[in-house]
Amino acid sequence: MSTSSKRLSRLALLGLAGLLMACSDDTLITGDNRVPKATPTPSAVPSTAPSASPSPTPTPKPTPVPTLVSLMIVPSEISLTSNPSAPPASRGTNLAAIAVLSNDQQVSADVVWSVLPAGLVTVNGAGYVSAIANVPGGTATVTASSGSIKATASVTVTGTPLTVSSISLSSNGLTLYTPAADGLNTAGLPTSARLIAEVTMSDGSTTSAVTWSSGDEAVATVNAAGLVTSVGAGQTNLTAKAALDPSQTVSCPVTVKAQGLVDVTVE
């Protein structure tokens, strides 16, 4: 190779090198065309906006303590019997005091128990009410108290059914005389007498409530008050029946003698 040819080849190489150096980093060479490089898209920068600060927690208000508004007694109406031979459940029962609070809650209440009038029923500190044995019927009021707040219950007592135990008369027999013909008893002989009946009841009480009758009113009569009056000579029985139990009776024999017939006892 000649010296001039070597020089031309060196110049060609130098020109190519200069061309390559003249190309920027943003250009690609493809054949005879220069193609710009794609510019990378910058990545998104995360937002650094400050978050909202939390609101302060309010201080809870204290729950008010419920207060007593009213009282109730359960049951509010009771019926009992004073018959001591009746089953216990019919002679007494438990009462419950219920407190109604300001929050509408109902709870068991601690109360003081009392009863009026006295003599029909009793009530203890736990609210057990019972009829007094053998008392007559009546109505009592039981009261539950908590301070100034009160509640009441009505108790009706049915008295013990009484029966007649016995009946007796003030005399076991009477002797009377017929009235004088002129209506006057100049001899002083008795023409009337009074009988008194006594009826003893199962509870030990007594009464004189009887109905009277005469077996023969031509001999003697008897009125509602037990006054016996002679009518004519003869004998009869006067009978008293207990008003509460007519099957219970007692009789008194009466002898009526005529005026002038006087018994003489010789010793």
Side-chain angles (χ1 to χ4, degrees):
M1 179 182 293
S2 65
T3 303
S4 58
S5 296
K6 290 181 179 179
R7 186 176 296 158
L8 288 175
S9 298
R10 185 179 296 175
L11 288 175
L13 289 174
L14 289 174
L16 180 59
L19 180 61
L20 291 174
M21 292 178 62
C23 293
S24 65
D25 292 337
D26 295 334
T27 304
L28 294 178
I29 299 174
T30 58
D32 293 334
N33 299 316
R34 296 182 180 181
V35 180
K37 286 185 179 180
T39 303
T41 303
S43 60
V45 179
S47 174
T48 58
S51 60
S53 59
S55 9
T57 303
T59 304
K61 294 182 180 180
T63 303
V65 177
T67 57
L68 178 62
V69 175
S70 62
L71 287 172
M72 297 187 301
I73 297 178
V74 180
S76 60
E77 294 184 356
I78 308 101
S79 295
L80 301 175
T81 177
S82 64
N83 184 358
S85 61
S90 63
R91 292 185 281 118
T93 189
N94 284 302
L95 301 179
I98 306 298
V100 180
L101 305 181
S102 55
N103 61 357
D104 294 331
Q105 187 179 7
Q106 295 183 4
V107 297
S108 178
D110 185 13
V111 298
V112 176
W113 295 95
S114 60
V115 60
L116 285 175
L120 281 177
V121 300
T122 60
V123 61
N124 65 14
Y128 183 79
V129 60
S130 59
I132 298 173
N134 293 319
V135 298
T139 301
T141 299
V142 176
T143 302
S145 304
S146 179
S148 61
I149 299 178
K150 304 178 185 295
T152 61
S154 177
V155 183
T156 300
V157 177
T158 301
T160 303
L162 299 178
T163 58
V164 176
S165 297
S166 63
I167 182 171
S168 61
L169 294 176
S170 57
S171 176
N172 293 326
L174 293 176
T175 298
L176 300 176
Y177 293 87
T178 57
D182 57 5
L184 299 176
N185 187 8
T186 53
L189 300 175
T191 60
S192 65
R194 175 79 180 272
L195 288 175
I196 299 174
E198 182 177 80
V199 180
T200 302
M201 307 303 296
S202 56
D203 64 349
S205 63
T206 59
T207 179
S208 59
V210 297
T211 57
W212 293 97
S213 62
S214 171
D216 187 351
E217 292 188 345
V219 176
T221 61
V222 58
N223 67 12
L227 179 63
V228 182
T229 302
S230 63
V231 178
Q235 291 184 335
T236 188
N237 283 323
L238 303 179
T239 302
K241 294 181 180 182
L244 294 175
D245 184 0
S247 67
Q248 298 286 335
T249 64
V250 64
S251 295
C252 175
V254 177
T255 299
V256 176
K257 295 181 178 182
Q259 291 276 2
L261 297 178
V262 180
D263 291 335
V264 177
T265 301
V266 179
E267 297 182 357

